[in-house]
Amino acid sequence: MKYCDKCKVKIAGDREKCPLCQGMVTDIGGPSQEVFPKIPTVYRQHNLLFRLLIFASIVAGVVSVAINLMLPQDGWWSLFVLLGIGCMWVSLFFAVRKRHNIPKNIMYQVVFVSGLSVIWDLVTHWRGWSIDYVIPSACFLAMISLAVLFKVMKMPVRDYLIYFALDGLFGIVPIIFFLTGCLNVLYPSLICVAVSVISLAALAVFAGENMLAELKRRLHL
């Protein structure tokens, strides 16, 4: 049994700090059985899966480097494999951290995939595939996914409105690429912008009041 002089409370278990003030506690004897349940993290719950993914990543990286060293005339393509594995783990990290908020998770993935595709396009002698295909496709799929989740999971309106609106605004970005003449392929961006405008219009017409209320709540207006 522990005792916190600051909070004036007795604490069961073997804790070194008070769970209320995080101050140091003193031992006063008595039963020391922990009363707070130990909740396993997602990494402990899916320990085997993560171990398999780590092992598979190491094997893929080592094999690609070994083959690349045996066939050096093809260039250092194994570096792209290693970078791809690293990007996969970063994306998985965000997915796990935001698993309790699926709309926010989707938005994080859109931003991450879009930014990563532009970087990859730049380091591989810019061909424009990131803005021609990846960014419009990511925004379009995010809007479709949010709409499906709303219907299937019967999510409260306030839980998805802001993220749906943000994704709709992000989906209009390809029009900048079109106006500046950066696009090589028009159709993906045209479809993405059209869907984004329709989605934002639907939000304004059918959920405008809820959107304003949610904005006021989040911005403390």
Side-chain angles (χ1 to χ4, degrees):
M1 183 72 70
K2 307 290 183 175
Y3 183 76
C4 177
D5 294 321
K6 183 178 180 179
C7 300
K8 308 300 181 184
V9 295
K10 295 180 179 179
I11 306 165
D14 295 322
R15 293 171 174 267
E16 296 181 355
K17 293 184 178 181
C18 174
L20 299 177
C21 67
Q22 297 302 308
M24 299 303 295
V25 295
T26 55
D27 191 355
I28 59 174
S32 61
Q33 184 177 0
E34 182 62 71
V35 295
F36 294 99
K38 291 184 178 180
I39 301 176
T41 63
V42 65
Y43 303 103
R44 291 185 179 275
Q45 290 177 325
H46 305 282
N47 183 269
L48 179 59
L49 175 62
F50 283 109
R51 287 176 181 270
L52 290 174
L53 285 175
I54 293 172
F55 180 72
S57 300
I58 294 173
V59 170
V62 171
V63 171
S64 63
V65 171
I67 295 176
N68 201 175
L69 290 174
M70 290 187 292
L71 303 171
Q73 65 273 17
D74 294 330
W76 292 102
W77 53 267
S78 59
L79 294 176
F80 293 101
V81 176
L82 296 176
L83 288 173
I85 294 172
C87 293
M88 182 270 293
W89 277 103
V90 174
S91 179
L92 183 61
F93 171 79
F94 283 120
V96 172
R97 289 294 299 271
K98 301 299 178 182
R99 66 189 182 280
H100 298 303
N101 190 333
I102 299 179
K104 182 181 288 188
N105 198 337
I106 293 175
M107 279 303 305
Y108 269 74
Q109 295 298 327
V110 169
V111 174
F112 174 73
V113 170
S114 299
L116 189 63
S117 65
V118 171
I119 294 174
W120 273 80
D121 205 354
L122 285 170
V123 299
T124 55
H125 308 292
W126 182 264
R127 293 181 176 85
W129 52 267
S130 58
I131 61 175
D132 285 337
Y133 298 105
V134 178
I135 293 179
S137 299
C139 295
F140 176 77
L141 291 175
M143 285 184 285
I144 297 298
S145 300
L146 287 171
V148 171
L149 283 172
F150 172 67
K151 291 295 183 182
V152 173
M153 300 181 66
K154 298 180 180 179
M155 299 168 59
V157 176
R158 60 181 177 82
D159 287 347
Y160 86 99
L161 273 180
I162 297 297
Y163 301 108
F164 197 83
L166 288 174
D167 190 62
L169 292 172
F170 194 63
I172 300 177
V173 170
I175 200 172
I176 299 175
F177 304 144
F178 170 71
L179 295 175
T180 55
C182 297
L183 294 177
N184 298 315
V185 181
L186 176 62
Y187 298 109
S189 296
L190 184 62
I191 294 172
C192 179
V193 172
V195 173
S196 298
V197 172
I198 293 173
S199 300
L200 291 174
L203 281 179
V205 173
F206 299 107
E209 294 181 358
N210 290 326
M211 175 64 73
L212 289 175
E214 184 65 12
L215 284 174
K216 290 180 179 179
R217 185 182 70 84
R218 289 177 178 268
L219 300 176
H220 306 286
L221 298 177

